[in-house]
Amino acid sequence: MKKLVLSLTLIAGLSTAVLAQTPVKFGVKAGVTFSNMTLSTMGVSASFDSKTSFYVGGTADIPVSTIFSVQPGLTLINKGTKVNGGDFDFDGGSVTANESGTINSMYIEVPVNLLANFTAGSGKVFFGAGPYYAFAVDAYAKSGGVKQDIEIGSGEDNFKRSDFGINFLGGYQLNRVNIHAGYGLGLSSVIPDQQDLDVKFKNKVFSVGLGFTF
């Protein structure tokens, strides 16, 4: 028992020493998104055009070794896609996109990424991946200056409230400033299951931005 107590005390002491040398770092980030969506049914998949929007958020970097860290975050991010021609049909209504139209959805996203960090010159290179969960707060379709809200909820013609997937990211940190790029691959369909049809509508987002660490 004494050996066990001494061992636990030693581990706790070493952990405290490591954390004291490499404390948790907080940061903010913002940038541009290039998002699109894929529609798949009966083994056939189609990808729509990308649209440009934005994201802004915060991060916490928690060291777990000299190389690896865990980075949870909280991000407000705009997703969606651009469609050339055709119709949007949501919530019992239809918006005709004879010119071009967009589907826009705003999410509060919570990513948790595992990062690897390597010294490079005066700064460091980092890259990693991890899951994310996103909570939809707004959605609408727009075409030819006409905007139509998309209901969010459990209805058959609505968008789902939740979205989840995998993040991939990489970048370069110099002092307190970093430049980074990321890719979010949605794994869940943003629309409910349709009767007699296996239809999946998923988000994909490529992003580029700047970050600042406090």
Side-chain angles (χ1 to χ4, degrees), residues 15 26 58 60-61 79 97 105 110 113-114 125 131 139 159 171 173 186-187:
S15 299
F26 298 93
D61 196 77
K79 303 183 182 184
S105 50
V110 182
N113 297 306
L114 177 63
V125 173
F159 264 17
Q173 177 97 27
L187 299 179

Side-chain angles (χ1 to χ4, degrees), residues 86-108:
D87 294 327
F88 301 133
D89 187 7
F90 293 104
D91 195 28
S94 178
V95 175
T96 301
N98 292 325
E99 304 172 356
S100 64
T102 58
I103 297 174
N104 306 271
S105 50
M106 186 69 73
Y107 288 89
I108 296 174

Side-chain angles (χ1 to χ4, degrees), residues 49-199:
D49 294 334
S50 64
K51 75 178 189 70
T52 304
S53 193
F54 74 95
Y55 71 94
V56 60
T59 59
D61 196 77
I62 307 169
V64 294
S65 74
T66 55
I67 295 178
F68 294 102
S69 63
V70 175
Q71 189 181 87
L74 184 66
T75 307
L76 181 67
I77 183 169
N78 189 282
K79 303 183 182 184
T81 193
K82 183 178 180 181
V83 179
N84 293 314
D87 294 327
F88 301 133
D89 187 7
F90 293 104
D91 195 28
S94 178
V95 175
T96 301
N98 292 325
E99 304 172 356
S100 64
T102 58
I103 297 174
N104 306 271
S105 50
M106 186 69 73
Y107 288 89
I108 296 174
E109 186 171 286
V110 182
V112 180
N113 297 306
L114 177 63
L115 299 184
N117 305 271
F118 301 96
T119 300
S122 300
K124 66 177 182 179
V125 173
F126 61 89
F127 60 88
Y132 74 81
Y133 174 83
F135 184 84
V137 294
D138 186 36
Y140 63 91
K142 188 174 183 181
S143 175
V146 179
K147 176 182 175 182
Q148 181 173 322
D149 291 334
I150 300 172
E151 295 294 329
I152 301 172
S154 58
E156 185 174 323
D157 296 317
N158 300 347
F159 264 17
K160 289 182 178 179
R161 181 67 67 181
S162 62
D163 177 34
F164 68 87
I166 300 177
N167 277 318
F168 303 92
L169 73 160
Y172 183 75
Q173 177 97 27
L174 181 61
N175 297 323
R176 294 188 175 188
V177 178
N178 70 76
I179 181 171
H180 55 267
Y183 181 73
L185 177 63
L187 299 179
S188 64
S189 177
V190 301
I191 60 174
D193 294 337
Q194 307 294 307
Q195 291 184 353
D196 303 322
L197 289 175
D198 182 23
V199 180

